Amino acid sequence: SNRDLLPAVRAGATYFRLGAHVTEMDTIEKHAKSLLQQDVAVAAAVMMVSHASRDELFGQIEIIESFGVREIVLMDSVGRLVPEDVTGTVQGIRTRFSLDVGFHAHDNFGLAVGNSLAAWAAGAKTLDASSLGMGAGAGNAPLELLSIALNLSSAEIEIAPEAAMELAKYAETIGFARPNKSVLTAATAFSNLFSGFAPVI
């Protein structure tokens, strides 16, 4: 904490996400409590969420809540969830806990936008996205597509679809490539493996 996080606070950072595997959320306790004492916003990034059952996830959220953290971000790091999973999980959290929920999708099955919309409809307050879907493995929810889908769903967001499309166009012109989705990245998700391991496999 003292080496990395507190200097960031002194430099003006006001929001932190502390990430850990879905079965190991106790490992963020020290950092979470230290940051909360600095009066900054702290979210727990629950990574590889598909590696736990819903009941196991709820148990881990109880641990997070005990630290004083009031926001969690469900990280579908494997890209394995389908909309029904997302809806049930977010609704379950909103029913059982007084926490803000965010959702971070990966696009291994081409469902990143659909899963993000499901999370939003179920009560998630934040959605992660990136221009052109740039991200690890099969990539994340493309900001330009998600912003259009949210707009068509009459969601109140602060990002204009036209601006998101201009940003994506700019990203293309300076050489950023869209993530490489393949049968292998689909197979890793189907096997509940992070597709960042695909080159090794």
Side-chain angles (χ1 to χ4, degrees), residues 7-201:
V9 173
R10 288 193 290 270
T14 59
Y15 177 78
F16 293 81
R17 279 188 187 174
L18 302 177
H21 189 272
V22 62
T23 61
E24 300 173 345
M25 296 311 299
D26 58 305
T27 60
I28 71 168
E29 179 177 8
K30 173 185 173 184
H31 301 309
K33 290 181 175 178
S34 176
L35 284 169
L36 288 168
Q37 289 176 352
Q38 304 300 314
D39 197 30
V40 296
V42 178
V46 185
M47 302 172 73
M48 305 285 184
V49 71
S50 63
H51 284 188
S53 69
R54 200 166 291 166
D55 285 342
E56 289 171 329
L57 172 63
F58 290 162
Q60 292 294 309
I61 294 173
E62 288 175 359
I63 292 171
I64 293 166
E65 203 172 36
S66 73
F67 304 155
V69 173
R70 292 293 172 260
E71 179 187 355
I72 63 166
V73 182
L74 302 173
M75 313 285 282
D76 183 20
S77 316
V78 171
R80 192 172 197 268
L81 301 183
V82 296
E84 292 88 342
D85 296 326
V86 177
T87 298
T89 300
V90 174
Q91 286 179 342
I93 294 168
R94 300 279 295 153
T95 298
R96 293 185 54 157
F97 302 96
S98 298
L99 295 169
D100 288 339
V101 180
F103 185 69
H104 175 104
H106 278 252
D107 206 29
N108 295 62
F109 296 153
L111 293 172
V113 170
N115 283 340
S116 297
L117 291 176
W120 185 264
K125 288 196 171 184
T126 58
L127 301 174
D128 287 353
S130 58
S131 219
L132 303 180
M134 289 184 289
N140 300 113
L143 177 63
E144 60 279 5
L145 301 185
L146 182 57
S147 64
I148 292 169
L150 287 167
N151 181 270
L152 293 175
S153 300
S154 300
E156 294 184 8
I157 59 172
E158 297 178 3
I159 299 171
E162 295 85 358
M165 287 188 282
E166 282 296 321
L167 181 62
K169 182 179 177 182
Y170 174 71
E172 286 180 330
T173 62
I174 60 175
F176 284 107
R178 296 180 186 275
N180 182 25
K181 285 183 273 195
S182 66
V183 173
L184 183 55
T185 58
T188 56
F190 187 53
S191 301
N192 212 2
L193 297 170
F194 175 55
S195 60
F197 298 140
V200 178
I201 294 169

